[in-house]
């Protein structure tokens, strides 16, 4: 797990974190988020316009935190749902995952909600269909109207771990 450093202040050349520089989908998402944040710690959720990033939408999940502190998928893109084997939109992480996978997901979301900084994670997991994937994720904080983290925009790339990979997004 790597917490990505925020890019340089406006006026400097923005840099994509080295961990995702070779992944076009996540690099594009990072650049979009960076443009929208315009030198601030993070952009507001209201500044994100799905029509501006249609090619990224299948690989994006939006996660918020409920009043009782649970993390919930507000939205799950089709490539994410395909890799998971189901659409978890509206479900909390503890309704979807158990054990180490739940602990890891909660830890990653907590880190971004608490720090207000992006996070890059690369994990291996077994889908509900018994398929082993390597997932590379970029979790980006989005501010609510009070300028605190209100939701996470998470870009996902999944690569099936076989001799003939079936990938969703860019290969890792």
């Amino acid at each position: 797990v790597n917490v990505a450093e925020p890019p340089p202040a406006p006026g400097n050349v923005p840099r994509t974190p080295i961990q995702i520089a070779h992944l076009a989908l996540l690099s594009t998402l990072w650049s979009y988020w960076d443009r929208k944040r315009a030198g601030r710690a993070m952009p507001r959720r209201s500044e994100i316009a799905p029509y501006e990033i249609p090619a990224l939408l299948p690989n994006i999940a939006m996660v918020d935190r409920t009043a009782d502190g649970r993390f919930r998928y507000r939205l799950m893109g089709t490539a994410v749902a395909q890799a998971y084997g189901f659409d978890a939109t509206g479900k909390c992480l503890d309704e979807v995952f158990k054990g180490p996978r739940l602990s890891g997901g909660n830890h990653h979301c907590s880190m971004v909600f608490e720090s207000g900084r992006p996070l890059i994670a690369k994990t291996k997991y077994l889908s509900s269909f018994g398929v082993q994937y390597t997932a590379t994720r970029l979790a980006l904080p989005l501010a609510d109207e009070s300028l605190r983290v209100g939701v996470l925009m998470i870009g996902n790339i999944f690569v099936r771990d076989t001799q003939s990979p079936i990938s969703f997004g860019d290969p890792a």
Side-chain angles (χ1 to χ4, degrees):
V1 176
N2 297 305
V3 176
E5 290 293 325
N12 294 330
V13 177
R15 61 190 157 120
T16 301
I18 193 165
Q19 302 94 325
I20 61 167
H22 65 291
L23 301 170
L25 188 141
L26 297 182
S27 294
T28 301
L29 182 60
W30 175 274
S31 295
Y32 177 76
W33 177 83
D34 184 49
R35 279 192 312 275
K36 291 294 184 174
R37 76 183 194 99
R40 297 168 291 165
M42 68 192 91
R44 288 191 173 122
R45 165 62 187 98
S46 60
E47 295 172 318
I48 302 300
Y51 69 87
E52 294 176 339
I53 52 171
L56 304 180
L57 298 179
N59 293 80
I60 291 177
M62 303 291 278
V63 174
D64 67 4
R65 187 165 35 190
T66 64
D68 62 0
R70 297 163 69 203
F71 296 107
R72 174 181 55 200
Y73 287 106
R74 300 239 341 149
L75 175 110
M76 180 175 276
T78 55
V80 182
Q82 186 176 4
Y84 280 28
F86 58 93
D87 185 352
T89 297
K91 295 186 185 307
C92 289
L93 267 62
D94 60 10
E95 297 174 289
V96 176
F97 306 119
K98 303 291 179 228
R101 199 156 164 210
L102 173 60
S103 298
N106 280 333
H107 179 68
H108 292 159
C109 290
S110 292
M111 285 179 67
V112 181
F113 266 92
E114 299 310 318
S115 72
R117 296 179 60 194
L119 175 130
I120 299 166
K122 191 169 191 172
T123 57
K124 289 185 180 277
Y125 75 96
L126 196 62
S127 78
S128 62
F129 294 123
V131 177
Q132 181 78 33
Y133 285 101
T134 298
T136 304
R137 294 184 174 91
L138 171 63
L140 299 167
L142 302 177
D144 58 20
E145 294 311 311
S146 65
L147 302 181
R148 291 187 298 264
V149 179
V151 67
L152 307 181
M153 179 171 60
I154 305 173
N156 299 268
I157 294 175
F158 302 94
V159 176
R160 185 175 177 177
D161 294 342
T162 67
Q163 295 297 340
S164 303
I166 298 173
S167 302
F168 304 98
D170 296 325

